[in-house]
Amino acid sequence: MDTEIHVSPIPAFRDNYIWAIHNRHQAALVDPGDAAPVRAFLERNGLTPCAILNTHHHHDHIGGNAELVAQYGIDVYGPADEDIPSMNRPVREGDTVTLDALGIRLQVIDVPGHTAGHIAWHAPEQHLLFSGDTLFGCGCGRLFEGSAEQMYHSLEKLARLPGATRVFCAHEYTLSNIAFALTVEPDNAALQARARADREHVARHQPTLPSTLDAELATNPFLRCHLPQLRRHAEFSSGRMVDSATEVFSILRSLKNEFR
Ligand SMILES: [Zn+2]
């Protein structure tokens, strides 16, 4: 049996990625917001789907569930605290899902903030993280259902995973996130290098993802709120004293909402 695991992007809508975790025969689908591109990908590559893994309830992440379940009869794993159509395998933090078809084990991490029940999927042996709309390339998701405190705590949990972990998020937002990050840390050499590399990826119509947690820790302002230069930026922008990393995070998140 071919046990080598690959992760392939299936572009959907304007800037979503549905991630296929697959070997030569079977595929698990992360956040299939649309069934049509998934079906085309499976047929093109001769793959049989074995499961759906959802991160949260937004339509662009779950919109293809019902059609794929009807066609293939696969299980849908997702956050127990969210209302997700076709979900028959609700999971919570600390749960581990083993997909025998792929020989892969995925751990569930609660990461509320973007939505109240948002989860991330972590495959510790393969060093893969599917972060949905929580951690983006050089950014983070908007706060729709949670507080800044919750989101910052969620990002801190992800930041503690091994640095070599590859980060697969659900949107191609990296260049716009980098443009914002450069307003916060114009002198960050790692960020400048990332900007050059990712602009080149986009110019060649290649995904900027996955990144790694090490790269995010070096460049993503939302994972760097504990650093003095980030605090100074937050104080300068807000015109007040700031004394916690969470407050820095909250100010940066508001600035990003208004950015462009
Ligand atoms: Zn979302």
Side-chain angles (χ1 to χ4, degrees):
M1 194 176 126
D2 176 16
T3 54
E4 202 185 340
I5 296 281
H6 305 273
V7 183
S8 300
I10 306 173
F13 308 116
R14 206 163 64 96
D15 50 32
N16 282 68
Y17 291 123
I18 299 163
W19 295 106
I21 312 169
H22 62 98
N23 56 23
R24 281 174 55 193
H25 307 289
Q26 308 258 349
L29 303 155
V30 182
D31 283 348
D34 189 2
V38 171
R39 240 187 337 255
F41 171 86
L42 294 170
E43 281 165 21
R44 195 165 59 243
N45 294 285
L47 296 169
T48 308
C50 62
I52 288 172
L53 306 171
N54 285 138
T55 61
H56 67 294
H57 68 84
H58 285 160
H59 188 75
D60 61 320
H61 297 250
I62 61 161
N65 280 9
E67 229 177 296
L68 293 169
V69 168
Q71 184 173 357
Y72 301 108
I74 48 181
D75 285 332
V76 178
Y77 299 85
D81 292 331
E82 299 204 343
D83 187 16
I84 292 182
S86 311
M87 177 170 71
N88 64 334
R89 303 274 186 172
V91 296
R92 293 182 181 284
E93 171 140 298
D95 286 349
T96 296
V97 169
T98 302
L99 299 176
D100 292 328
L102 296 173
I104 191 173
R105 210 165 53 86
L106 293 129
Q107 294 173 340
V108 177
I109 305 174
D110 273 343
V111 286
H114 177 71
T115 63
H118 199 303
I119 58 170
W121 292 95
H122 177 223
E125 282 106 38
Q126 290 81 10
H127 298 293
L128 311 175
L129 175 69
F130 298 91
S131 56
D133 286 357
T134 296
L135 175 63
F136 286 133
C138 215
C140 75
R142 284 174 186 266
L143 308 176
F144 286 122
E145 298 173 14
S147 64
E149 288 73 17
Q150 277 178 319
M151 187 63 148
Y152 189 62
H153 180 64
S154 295
L155 291 170
E156 281 188 303
K157 281 161 84 172
L158 299 182
R160 283 195 291 270
L161 297 173
T165 304
R166 286 186 289 159
V167 179
F168 298 85
C169 59
H171 289 275
E172 184 58 81
Y173 289 162
T174 312
L175 283 194
S176 128
N177 289 336
I178 286 175
F180 172 73
L182 282 167
T183 68
V184 180
E185 280 193 285
D187 300 327
N188 180 335
L191 178 60
Q192 293 163 353
R194 183 176 191 179
R196 284 191 296 274
D198 282 344
R199 279 178 200 137
E200 215 161 284
H201 283 124
V202 170
R204 292 177 185 170
H205 305 286
Q206 292 165 348
T208 61
L209 304 161
S211 68
T212 63
L213 263 185
D214 274 340
E216 296 305 330
L217 290 169
T219 58
N220 188 327
F222 298 101
L223 298 186
R224 296 168 60 77
C225 297
H226 56 289
L227 298 172
Q229 68 270 32
L230 281 276
R231 194 186 64 235
R232 280 197 298 275
H233 182 83
E235 289 183 336
F236 179 76
S237 309
S238 65
R240 60 183 164 88
M241 295 292 284
V242 173
D243 52 27
S244 73
T246 308
E247 225 179 312
V248 173
F249 173 80
S250 176
I251 291 166
L252 290 184
R253 189 52 264 183
S254 302
L255 288 170
K256 177 66 170 69
N257 290 347
E258 289 147 26
F259 184 68
R260 272 196 259 169

